[in-house]
Amino acid sequence: MRCYIMETVAIKMLIGMISGIGCSLISIFFEKVLLEKRGRVFKTSKKEKNIITILAIVVSCFTVVNVNRISEIIYILLMLLACILIYVTDLHHRIIPNEILLLMLVAKLIIGIPALFGVTWVPEFNIISSLIGFVAGFVVFMIPAFMGKSVGAGDIKLAAVMGFCLGINGLLYAIVLMGIGVLIYEFIKGRTSLKNAMYEMIPMGPFMAVAMMVVMLINESVMIDFWKFIMN
C-alpha cells in the first residue's frame, strides 16, 4: 500500500514537472506574440526564463499532487499561464494585455457554470461572490485613481477579473498579500516612506499575479488564520 502511494505521488510529480515546463514554454511563446502585436521587443532574459520555469514546476507539482479534480487542475494551470504572462509583460513593458484578462474570465466561466447546474466534477462556483468580487476589485483600484494616485487601467481591469475569479473573500486575501509584497519591495528599494512611493508608478501586475496564485493554492482555512494573525 505504501509503495502504491509513493508511486502515485511520483507519477503526479512527473506530470506536474511536465506541466510546469509546458506552462513556461507556452507563456514565452504567447509573450512574444502579444508583444509583437503591440510593436514591443521581447525582453525576458535567460535567467528570468529559468526562474519562471522552476516556479512553474513547483506550482504545477503542488497542484497535481494536492488537487483531485482534473478540471480544477487544468483551470489552475491556465491561471498559472495567465499569471506568468501578466508578471513578465507588466514588469518589463507596463502593460497587461486584454487577451490575458479575457482568457481568465472565460476559463472561470467554463469551469464554473457547470457547477451551477449541479455538475459535481467541477469546483463549486459562487456566482454572487464572484460578481461582488468583480465590482469590489474595480472600485478598490478606481478610488486611488480618482485621488490622483498612479494606477494603470490594466491594474484596475486585472483587479476586477481577479475579484471575479477568486470571489470576494479570495480578493480580500489577495489584496492583503499584494500589499505585503509591495511593502517588501519598497523596503528593498530603500524607501521607508510609503507615502512617497504611492506617487511612483510601479508595476502592480506582478504583485497581483503572485497574490492570486497563492490564494488559489493555499487552503482557505490557512488564509483565515493568516488574516487573523495580521489583524492581531
Side-chain angles (χ1 to χ4, degrees):
M1 183 65 180
R2 185 177 179 181
C3 291
Y4 172 77
I5 294 175
M6 292 180 65
E7 288 177 1
T8 302
V9 172
I11 292 173
K12 287 184 176 181
M13 290 287 287
L14 179 60
I15 294 173
M17 290 179 64
I18 295 173
S19 301
I21 294 172
C23 281
S24 177
L25 294 176
I26 294 172
S27 70
I28 292 172
F29 171 77
F30 277 110
E31 180 188 358
K32 291 180 179 179
V33 171
L34 292 170
L35 292 177
E36 287 177 1
K37 182 179 178 181
R38 290 164 173 79
R40 304 293 184 95
V41 179
F42 181 78
K43 291 184 178 180
T44 304
S45 65
K46 184 177 181 180
K47 182 179 179 180
E48 285 178 305
K49 291 178 186 177
N50 292 335
I51 293 174
I52 289 171
T53 300
I54 292 171
L55 292 175
I57 290 173
V58 171
V59 172
S60 297
C61 287
F62 182 89
T63 301
V64 174
V65 170
N66 290 280
V67 178
N68 295 321
R69 295 188 183 97
I70 295 178
S71 58
E72 189 172 357
I73 292 175
I74 294 173
Y75 170 69
I76 293 175
L77 293 180
L78 282 174
M79 290 296 107
L80 171 62
L81 173 61
C83 286
I84 291 174
L85 286 168
I86 290 169
Y87 188 100
V88 293
T89 56
D90 197 33
L91 179 65
H92 293 300
H93 304 277
R94 304 297 177 90
I95 57 173
I96 300 176
N98 290 329
E99 295 92 331
I100 304 175
L101 302 178
L102 182 61
L103 167 66
M104 296 168 72
L105 283 175
V106 171
K108 180 62 178 179
L109 289 172
I110 290 176
I111 198 73
I113 289 178
L116 298 178
F117 296 94
V119 177
T120 58
W121 50 267
V122 295
E124 293 182 4
F125 180 38
N126 188 333
I127 184 66
I128 302 299
S129 178
S130 288
L131 291 175
I132 294 174
F134 182 88
V135 174
F138 182 83
V139 171
V140 166
F141 275 73
M142 275 298 294
I143 291 175
F146 281 125
M147 295 173 63
K149 305 296 188 297
S150 298
V151 181
D155 296 331
I156 297 172
K157 289 183 285 186
L158 174 58
V161 172
M162 189 169 69
F164 185 81
C165 293
L166 298 178
I168 183 60
N169 290 338
L171 175 66
L172 294 176
Y173 300 141
I175 289 175
V176 172
L177 291 174
M178 181 193 70
I180 293 173
V182 171
L183 287 173
I184 293 173
Y185 171 81
E186 295 297 335
F187 177 78
I188 293 174
K189 294 285 285 187
R191 287 186 287 267
T192 55
S193 175
L194 186 59
K195 180 180 179 180
N196 294 331
M198 289 175 67
Y199 289 92
E200 180 189 357
M201 187 69 171
I202 64 173
M204 297 299 295
F207 299 102
M208 297 167 73
V210 172
M212 180 175 181
M213 285 310 305
V214 171
V215 172
M216 289 185 65
L217 293 173
I218 297 180
N219 188 281
E220 186 172 0
S221 62
V222 177
M223 295 303 300
I224 292 174
D225 291 338
F226 176 74
W227 177 262
K228 290 180 180 178
F229 173 78
I230 294 295
M231 295 301 292
N232 292 332

